[in-house]
């Protein structure tokens, strides 16, 4: 199965984790990371989420002081719109063998746990080097994989076995 993390915004980050899930312990098999433009979010999701069970872990847009300080006035509109597009994609009628689910969590819940140290231990820090939005997407994907699908916490002793 895949866990697809999405950091929405003017430069969206996307990370896909391929998990061995369901028969025995959950293992991370592979990961990919990229940043795209807003107009490429749907084609990218269609490509990454095709042909297998997928869960989309998207950062929830929270209106607050940080959103108000955004570099461009349109950034909030782009971000809110993208969250809607990703939500619709994840929850629309699934086609064929595609089965998708959605997890939305605020950055304030995910980022304190999904530290650079955890990303490093999971092999995601180097994969997202130079792509800060992809790195934030990796945080959401890793948090979801651990909390929702039983992937061992990369900093735990269980992960070292």
């Amino acid at each position: 199965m895949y866990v697809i993390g999405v950091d929405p915004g003017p430069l969206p980050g996307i990370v896909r984790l391929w998990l061995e899930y369901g028969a025995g312990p959950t293992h991370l098999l592979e990961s990919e990371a990229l940043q795209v433009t807003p107009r490429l979010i749907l084609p990218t999701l269609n490509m990454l989420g095709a042909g297998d069970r997928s869960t989309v872990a998207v950062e929830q847009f929270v209106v607050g002081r940080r959103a108000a300080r955004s570099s461009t006035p349109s950034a909030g509109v782009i971000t809110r719109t993208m969250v809607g597009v990703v939500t619709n994609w994840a929850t629309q009628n699934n086609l064929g063998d595609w089965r998708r689910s959605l997890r939305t969590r605020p950055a304030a819940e995910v980022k304190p746990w999904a530290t650079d140290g955890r990303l490093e231990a999971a092999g995601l820090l180097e994969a997202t080097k130079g792509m800060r939005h992809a790195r934030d997407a990796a945080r959401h994907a890793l948090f979801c994989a651990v909390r929702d699908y039983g992937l061992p916490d990369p900093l735990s002793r269980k992960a070292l076995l």
Side-chain angles (χ1 to χ4, degrees):
M1 80 161 292
Y2 294 115
V3 175
I4 302 170
V6 178
D7 177 42
L11 184 59
I14 303 172
V15 167
R16 180 174 73 173
L17 305 179
W18 181 23
L19 302 179
E20 181 178 345
Y21 172 75
T26 302
H27 297 286
L28 176 61
L29 301 173
E30 191 174 275
S31 63
E32 293 91 19
L34 67 153
Q35 291 182 163
V36 297
T37 60
R39 290 176 50 182
L40 286 176
I41 194 77
L42 275 178
T44 303
L45 288 172
N46 285 333
M47 178 188 67
L48 293 176
D52 206 344
R53 180 175 175 208
S54 300
T55 293
V56 178
V58 63
E59 183 175 316
Q60 179 181 349
F61 183 77
V62 177
V63 178
R65 285 183 287 195
R66 181 166 168 85
R69 291 191 325 255
S70 180
S71 60
T72 63
S74 63
V77 173
I78 291 168
T79 304
R80 282 190 305 274
T81 301
M82 188 173 299
V83 169
V85 166
V86 171
T87 298
N88 287 339
W89 180 85
T91 59
Q92 71 186 3
N93 291 332
N94 295 326
L95 306 171
D97 291 335
W98 295 15
R99 292 170 294 167
R100 295 187 291 249
S101 60
L102 177 71
R103 303 288 193 274
T104 59
R105 293 181 171 102
E109 179 181 353
V110 172
K111 286 185 176 183
W113 179 86
T115 62
D116 284 354
R118 274 200 173 82
L119 294 181
E120 173 90 43
L124 298 172
L125 198 63
E126 183 64 29
T128 58
K129 187 175 183 177
M131 299 186 289
R132 70 182 179 103
H133 299 290
R135 188 161 288 169
D136 283 343
R139 296 179 201 289
H140 283 274
L142 183 61
F143 188 92
C144 178
V146 171
R147 295 290 165 95
D148 299 326
Y149 295 102
L151 183 70
D153 180 338
L155 294 180
S156 70
R157 290 182 187 188
K158 187 177 178 183
L160 299 174
L161 299 175

